RNA sequence: GGUUCGGUAGCUCAGUUGGAUAGAGCAUCAGCCUUCUAAGCUGAGGGUCAUUGGUUCGAAUCCAAUCCGGAUCACCA
């Protein structure tokens, strides 16, 4: 149990013993002591002052004495300033913690529980390659899944691939008309980029057609519908739905190219999935749901045959769930898929990583699921994230300002290479080690940059600043890790041993002799478990990013001020090597939760 | 217009179960490499926490109103 939890419980016990009343965690507040005051943890007494009608000083003294009397192994002393009771943690307790866990690579992770969670993320369209915004989605989804695993959940990563629809037909039409049989192989183009080009070409040609029609006096709206290319795309969609062989073949061929391209990108950025759903399989789902909803009176049929749900009493609008031609719409398919997910996996919670432009849609989805009484409806959770913008504003495909994922990844890795070479510290690296290192640093910088911000906020991606490897960045944390490894390597000949002389059982001289920075490091490490928990509760990897950075920063201060391998005495040396080792473990673990590798050397 | 999410240092962001003098990084300035990796460390300057009012011992944090910005409100997905 963490010190914080021990303190809370101990305080409740002390209060109960002292005042003969029952208390809960909400009756008082515990926080970390501000650096300018002596102590490590602080109990804020004001709320108790009120209910117990005692002065803060008296109250603080009584609680402080009681805590120390009963928990002398954890709390050594206290002071009271105004209404704040500042408690000091004993060195003994911290050393004990260090001794028990210094070599535990799983430190901070929670026991397996029996809850199952599905995290759906990524969800690409097969008509164009993924861009910077998708990267935020991929990194978030992957990281959240790992964070949940670290908290003991059984996690299934899933992905819905939007592989059908009018947008797919557009690139197919363009390819048929313009490609002359060109393929990714023949043009040496990555498959997803290849198909994406034809999607762009379609829109270019389509635009020309509209302009011509408008010039002939057709209204813009009509022109958009009547343009021959659009008509062809519509026809192709119908052909696809009726299973016309040549259309299906073309569709399979082009999607195949896209998947090959995606596979390369996913492999590189580290996205993976346990289950893939294809919209071409799920788009008919939801028919039975519509029937069910009608029977239950949740849905209503209009005169023209279309089916609706009225959500006005919930503050939303009316929403269509089935078209008058009997086909199901997006939202209905999603409900169908939600149901299928539950039936297949018996999940306790279903998380959707989707941009905040779909907040309304997801709200409706959940509401309909609840009204239909689907078993997992209440545990549908939309992990909404803000758009990624450029310093110049939003990315717009029309203006060609969309940042391609492959390009930006490549650029980050190239910058990592250039920067590393300038520093000139890697002369003894082998060729393949260098390639790995650049990839580790470049991708690490990228992931850290996109994950360090609260998901729900939109963020600005400044290509120049993102490539800064100093300060609150992935490479800084990676560097700290490599630095520790370097120290630990140097003492390899005398590997870390559990030297009883620094252990509390022995009551040797180190006790009550920890330096402030040593203490701060151990206390920070101790909070890793809570940090993981918080990140899981909030579904927010930035919690981890901030924590890991803070730990790395503290370590670097320590490293600069105090020698580790050449400490004043053997006990101190052992102690510091233990701290270093544990810091490295926690940094590595935290970075892995964000999908970031740490290099042994850099 | 309705709903909803944001507004914290020049820039990018932390901090909201109400707590002590609001924190980092970047940028600027001043120091620190014969010593465990200087992708580092130490220090300085920089703030009307959008505005106004309310709640109370205490508000960046809670409530109300206003201003600014984003998203959304399709028989598209």
């Amino acid at each position: 149990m963490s010190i914080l939890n021990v303190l809370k419980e101990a305080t409740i016990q002390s209060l109960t013993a002292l005042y003969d009343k029952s208390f809960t965690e909400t009756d008082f507040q515990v926080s970390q002591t501000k650096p300018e005051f002596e102590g490590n943890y602080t109990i804020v007494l004001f709320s108790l002052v009120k209910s117990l009608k005692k002065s803060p000083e008296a109250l603080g003294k009584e609680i402080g004495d009681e805590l120390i009397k009963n928990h002398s192994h954890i709390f050594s002393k206290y002071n009271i300033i105004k209404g704040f009771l500042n408690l000091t943690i004993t060195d003994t307790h911290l050393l004990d913690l260090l001794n028990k866990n210094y070599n535990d690579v799983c430190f901070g992770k929670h026991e397996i529980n029996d809850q199952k969670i599905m995290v759906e993320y990524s969800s690409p369209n097969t008509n164009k390659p993924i861009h910077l915004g998708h990267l935020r989605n991929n990194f978030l989804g992957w990281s959240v899944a790992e964070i949940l695993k670290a908290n003991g959940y059984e996690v299934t990563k899933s992905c819905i691939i939007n592989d059908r629809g009018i947008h797919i037909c557009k690139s197919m039409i363009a390819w048929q008309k313009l490609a002359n049989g060109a393929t990714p192989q023949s043009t040496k183009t990555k498959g997803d980029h290849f198909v994406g080009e034809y999607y762009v070409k379609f829109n270019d040609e389509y635009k020309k057609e509209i302009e011509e029609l408008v010039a002939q006096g057709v209204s813009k709206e009509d022109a958009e519908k009547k343009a021959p290319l659009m008509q062809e795309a519509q026809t192709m969609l119908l052909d696809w739905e009726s299973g016309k062989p040549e259309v299906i073949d073309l569709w399979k061929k082009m999607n195949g190219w896209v998947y090959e391209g995606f596979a390369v990108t996913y492999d590189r950025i580290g996205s993976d999935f346990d289950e893939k759903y294809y919209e071409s399989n799920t788009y008919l789902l939801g028919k039975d749901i519509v029937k069910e909803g009608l029977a239950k009176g949740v849905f209503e049929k209009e005169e023209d045959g279309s089916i609706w749900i009225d959500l006005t009493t919930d503050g939303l609008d009316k929403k269509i769930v089935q078209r008058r031609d009997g086909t199901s719409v997006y939202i209905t398919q999603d409900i169908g898929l939600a149901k299928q997910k539950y039936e297949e996996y018996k999940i306790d919670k279903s998380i959707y990583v989707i941009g905040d432009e779909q907040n309304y849609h997801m709200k409706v989805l959940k509401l309909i699921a609840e009204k239909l009484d689907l078993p997992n409806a209440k545990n549908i959770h939309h992990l909404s994230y803000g758009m990624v913008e450029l310093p110049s504003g939003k990315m717009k495909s029309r203006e060609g300002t969309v940042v391609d994922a492959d390009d930006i990844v490549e650029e980050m890795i190239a910058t990592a290479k250039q920067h590393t070479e300038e520093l000139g510290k890697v002369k003894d690296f082998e060729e393949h080690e260098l390639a790995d290192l650049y990839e580790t640093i470049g991708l690490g910088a990228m992931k850290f940059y996109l994950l360090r911000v609260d998901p729900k906020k939109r963020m600005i991606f400044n290509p120049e600043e993102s490539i800064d490897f100093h300060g609150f960045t992935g490479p800084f944390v990676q560097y700290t890790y490599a630095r520790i490894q370097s120290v630990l390597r140097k003492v390899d000949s005398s590997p870390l041993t559990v030297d009883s002389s620094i252990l509390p059982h022995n009551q040797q001289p180190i006790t009550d002799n920890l330096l402030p920075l040593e203490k701060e490091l151990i206390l920070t490490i101790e909070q890793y478990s809570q940090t993981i928990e918080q990140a899981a509760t909030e579904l927010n990897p930035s919690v981890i990013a901030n924590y890991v950075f803070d730990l790395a920063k503290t370590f670097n201060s320590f490293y600069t001020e105090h020698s580790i391998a050449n400490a004043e005495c053997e006990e101190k040396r052992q102690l510091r090597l233990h701290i270093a080792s544990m810091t490295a473990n926690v940094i590595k673990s935290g970075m892995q939760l964000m999908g970031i590798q740490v290099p042994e050397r850099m």
Side-chain angles (χ1 to χ4, degrees):
Chain A
M1 195 164 37
S2 69
I3 293 178
L4 189 67
N5 286 335
V6 170
L7 176 54
K8 281 181 184 168
E9 269 187 30
T11 307
I12 290 171
Q13 278 172 18
S14 302
L15 284 167
T16 309
L18 283 167
Y19 307 113
D20 201 26
K21 258 173 73 177
S22 69
F23 291 85
T24 66
E25 275 190 25
T26 52
D27 292 322
F28 56 93
Q29 287 146 3
V30 180
S31 59
Q32 273 186 269
T33 306
K34 299 240 166 193
E36 56 267 36
F37 300 99
E38 192 189 348
N40 306 112
Y41 283 92
T42 297
I43 301 175
V44 185
L45 301 167
F46 294 105
S47 47
L48 292 166
V49 167
K50 217 179 215 176
S51 60
L52 294 171
K53 298 191 176 109
K54 281 175 170 275
S55 75
E57 290 71 24
L59 199 57
K61 189 168 188 316
E62 286 171 356
I63 298 171
D65 285 340
E66 184 75 9
L67 280 173
I68 286 177
K69 190 179 86 189
N70 296 326
H71 301 276
S72 58
H73 57 295
I74 303 184
F75 309 111
S76 61
K77 56 184 171 179
Y78 68 89
N79 64 76
I80 302 160
I81 298 169
K82 292 195 232 168
F84 301 93
L85 170 60
N86 302 320
L87 289 150
T88 301
I89 309 297
T90 61
D91 291 357
T92 313
H93 186 73
L94 296 177
L95 289 168
D96 202 24
L97 182 109
L98 200 60
N99 180 42
K100 276 185 192 144
N101 300 296
Y102 78 96
N103 211 11
D104 179 7
V105 291
C106 292
F107 176 76
K109 299 196 177 177
H110 294 72
E111 303 247 317
I112 288 174
N113 62 41
D114 55 357
Q115 301 238 15
K116 292 180 184 163
I117 300 186
M118 179 174 280
V119 179
E120 179 194 286
Y121 74 106
S122 194
S123 309
N125 287 327
T126 60
N127 62 332
K128 54 189 168 193
I130 70 171
H131 61 69
L132 184 53
H134 295 124
L135 285 182
R136 191 177 195 191
N137 182 309
N138 276 277
F139 297 159
L140 259 178
W142 195 91
S143 179
V144 161
E146 292 304 313
I147 288 167
L148 289 169
K149 281 185 198 170
N151 278 273
Y153 297 96
E154 188 182 320
V155 179
T156 307
K157 295 177 194 164
S158 76
C159 175
I160 170 93
I161 297 161
N162 301 304
D163 62 344
R164 68 160 282 280
I166 192 76
H167 53 295
I168 311 296
C169 293
K170 287 177 182 176
S171 28
M172 285 160 70
I173 296 272
W175 186 81
Q176 266 185 337
K177 288 187 176 303
L178 305 166
N180 278 327
T183 64
Q185 291 75 29
S186 74
T187 56
K188 294 189 175 140
T189 313
K190 197 161 162 284
D192 49 337
H193 290 260
F194 180 84
V195 171
E197 282 170 22
Y198 286 93
Y199 183 71
V200 172
K201 282 178 186 168
F202 177 94
N203 283 320
D204 291 345
E205 296 298 319
Y206 176 46
K207 211 183 285 173
K208 280 183 206 162
E209 288 187 355
I210 293 172
E211 278 166 16
E212 274 173 36
L213 285 169
V214 170
Q216 289 165 25
V218 183
S219 77
K220 200 181 174 197
E221 233 170 75
D222 281 348
E224 280 172 4
K225 282 179 197 159
K226 283 183 187 162
L229 272 174
M230 185 51 89
Q231 303 266 321
E232 280 186 66
Q234 298 282 4
T235 308
M236 184 177 266
L237 184 58
L238 290 175
D239 287 343
W240 182 89
E241 283 179 11
S242 65
K244 197 174 175 184
E246 54 265 45
V247 172
I248 297 290
D249 284 349
L250 176 61
W251 172 74
K252 279 187 180 160
K253 179 161 75 180
M254 289 185 73
N255 273 350
W257 293 337
V258 173
Y259 296 146
E260 278 173 29
F262 280 171
V264 172
T265 305
Y266 280 145
D267 186 51
R268 185 162 221 186
I269 66 175
S271 284
D272 57 351
F273 307 98
D274 306 305
E275 175 70 272
K276 285 183 184 173
Y277 296 103
Y278 294 87
E279 205 204 328
S280 51
N281 294 328
T282 63
Y283 84 107
L284 293 173
L285 284 177
K287 299 264 181 181
D288 50 335
I289 299 226
V290 172
K291 253 186 230 166
E292 197 185 318
L294 274 174
K296 282 185 181 173
V298 178
F299 301 152
E300 303 161 351
K301 199 167 206 163
E302 293 276 303
E303 284 166 13
D304 67 358
S306 59
I307 298 174
W308 297 75
I309 183 165
D310 186 353
L311 297 171
T312 46
T313 50
D314 297 282
L316 304 177
D317 304 293
K318 283 184 88 176
K319 187 92 187 168
I320 191 160
V321 293
Q322 183 173 303
R323 298 189 188 95
R324 64 168 166 248
D325 63 7
T327 55
S328 66
V329 295
Y330 181 40
I331 192 96
T332 328
Q333 297 161 29
D334 270 359
I335 294 165
L337 183 56
K339 195 176 171 190
Q340 187 178 327
K341 282 178 176 175
Y342 177 77
E343 282 163 359
E344 280 178 12
Y345 286 92
K346 296 282 173 285
I347 44 178
D348 296 285
K349 190 168 183 177
S350 188
I351 294 169
Y352 295 76
V353 184
I354 308 178
D356 62 6
E357 70 271 14
Q358 303 222 33
N359 284 354
Y360 181 77
H361 172 79
M362 291 305 294
K363 211 168 162 183
V364 171
L365 173 68
K366 184 169 178 171
L367 205 51
I368 296 179
E370 280 174 6
K371 285 184 189 288
L372 287 171
D373 220 11
L374 294 191
N376 58 341
K378 285 218 167 65
N379 295 320
I380 287 177
H381 186 274
H382 177 201
L383 172 48
S384 166
Y385 63 91
M387 203 177 288
V388 182
E389 293 178 14
L390 301 173
S392 53
K394 286 184 208 167
M395 292 192 279
K396 287 178 183 154
S397 49
R398 259 179 242 167
E399 293 166 21
T401 53
V402 175
V403 176
D404 180 79
D406 294 318
D407 290 347
I408 191 73
V409 166
E410 208 57 58
E411 197 182 327
M412 294 296 285
I413 293 171
T415 310
K417 177 172 193 247
Q418 185 199 338
H419 198 80
T420 307
E421 282 170 353
E422 278 168 14
L423 288 173
K425 293 197 289 191
V426 288
K427 301 217 167 66
D428 57 334
F429 278 55
E430 306 269 341
E431 201 63 37
H432 69 277
E433 287 177 317
L434 283 175
D436 283 353
L437 181 64
Y438 302 149
E439 189 116 350
T440 298
I441 297 172
L443 273 168
M446 180 95 201
K447 289 184 179 179
F448 199 94
Y449 191 85
L450 287 173
L451 289 176
R452 65 179 208 185
V453 184
D454 185 342
K456 71 169 176 286
K457 292 190 178 179
R458 66 198 157 104
M459 64 176 293
I460 293 177
F461 185 93
N462 185 332
E464 282 159 28
E465 282 173 18
S466 70
I467 280 163
D468 192 349
F469 291 165
H470 305 276
F472 186 27
T473 65
F476 167 77
V477 181
Q478 291 172 321
Y479 167 75
T480 308
Y481 178 85
R483 211 179 200 190
I484 297 173
Q485 291 310 308
S486 172
V487 175
L488 295 179
R489 260 196 307 277
K490 298 232 156 98
V491 296
D492 232 13
S493 48
S494 59
L496 282 188
T497 53
V498 183
D499 187 329
S500 61
S501 63
I502 67 160
L503 298 185
H505 319 296
N506 215 357
Q507 298 302 326
Q508 284 298 301
I510 290 285
T511 301
D512 278 323
N513 204 15
L514 287 181
L515 297 167
L517 274 171
E518 289 168 343
K519 215 164 167 173
E520 194 184 333
L521 271 169
I522 303 173
L523 278 165
T524 306
I525 291 168
E526 198 269 338
Q527 286 156 7
Y528 181 52
S529 179
Q530 290 154 247
T531 306
I532 295 180
E533 221 175 292
Q534 191 197 341
T537 310
E538 297 177 12
L539 298 175
N540 183 357
S542 80
V543 171
I544 307 279
N546 280 289
Y547 171 84
V548 161
F549 173 69
D550 185 54
L551 178 59
K553 203 168 130 61
T554 309
F555 183 86
N556 275 311
S557 300
F558 181 73
Y559 180 97
T560 314
E561 283 182 36
H562 307 284
S563 177
I564 294 171
N566 302 311
E568 308 87 273
C569 59
E570 179 57 20
E571 287 81 6
K572 275 280 182 190
R573 195 181 77 96
Q574 286 285 336
L575 167 74
R576 290 177 185 174
L577 287 171
H578 282 71
I579 292 177
S581 162
M582 236 183 129
T583 302
N585 278 345
V586 170
I587 285 179
K588 186 172 187 175
S589 169
M591 292 291 268
Q592 282 171 344
L593 293 182
M594 293 192 286
I596 298 173
Q597 300 297 315
V598 285
E600 296 302 307
R601 297 187 293 160
M602 75 183 272

